[in-house]
Amino acid sequence: MASEQMEYYKAKYQTLEDLPGVGPATASKLREIGFRTVEAVATATIHEMVSAGIGETTAEKVINAARKSMAITFVRGDELVKIRSNIRHLTTGCTSLDYLLGGGIESQSITEFYGEFGTGKSQICQQLCLTVQLPYEQGGLEGGALYIDTENTFRPERIIQMAPKFNLDPDEALRKIIFAEAYTSNHQTVLLENADEVIKENNIRLIVVDSVTSHFRSEYLGREMLAPRQQELNKHLHKLIRLSRAFNTAVAVTNQVMAQPDAFFAKVVKPVGGHIMGHTCHTRIFLRKGRSNLRIAKLVVSPFLPEGETPFRITERGVEGDEDY
Ligand code: GTP
Ligand code: MG
């Protein structure tokens, strides 16, 4: 993490034992149940800790101390400006996509790429794993990537193939990508809950979840499962937001689409996940196939940018716009 960011995010308490009221026994208990760092404690809920066997008073005390230490509390407007001034844009490595996104994907929030199969969602995510490693002057975040794969689509060979375009050494680039396959939605959730230590140790500046909804969608079937599914998905996405803010990382998630049942005449698709995805993904990009090998990216939702679209291609070299040749 760059020193200027480090300064703001640096916790007053470095380890669990530094937290008031946490002795070696409580610290080891906390680690055992997955809260391994001050950041993890700060973003936990009392309920989570109590159900894992920590006394309510202790839970409240340590969470509050950790939050104070990390300044996750009420903030003044001028302080908010300072926090927001830490937001950085991560280049996609594709000029036209960057232009659409106002310079790349933002840290401290979630960017969603959704679209039908083969539209380039996973390709963009894999390219981001390389661009995140670039220096700030080149639009990177000078850090590593954490890739949570639910569909077994991450290909190290593809990373090796794309690395030269960014003047990155393929082997070194691969070393900076931490990969985890999630086998179920629960596994996916648990992976994230335990991610803060990995993020810190590896200077992770990009978290990818590809795809964020597929397990939830296939496991929670039927109308009566819709509410619990959305609840779990909501928790998962909020964990992602909290991690992105605590570590000033960018987050890219992918999502499938489904046919809109009430559209009779044209083929209309919408992203899976309903309102929950809509409310938690701050920037949403719809990808579709165009003529020949062209792909089209459409910015559908952004906190500050106008709607727009841009073409791009997936080539041997990676994800590119015409101006990148
Ligand atoms: P799903 O995960 O199936 O929903 O699709 P996706 O949107 O993630 O698609 P993905 O990003 O995997 O894009 C797949 C497309 O990328 C393929 O149809 C190919 O056209 C292209 N592609 C993938 N790898 C390569 C490659 O090594 N070279 C070239 N030229 N194209 C590739
Ligand atoms: Mg994919």
Side-chain angles (χ1 to χ4, degrees), residues 93-105:
C94 171
T95 309
S96 58
L97 273 177
D98 279 357
Y99 187 73
L100 184 77
L101 287 162
I105 71 167

Side-chain angles (χ1 to χ4, degrees), residues 10 22 29 105 115 119 130 138 158 198 233 237 250 293 305 321:
K10 199 162 82 179
V22 176
K29 180 94 196 255
I105 71 167
T119 48
L130 287 165
Q138 291 174 37
R158 184 60 170 149
V198 171
L233 183 60
L237 291 166
N293 197 22
L305 292 164

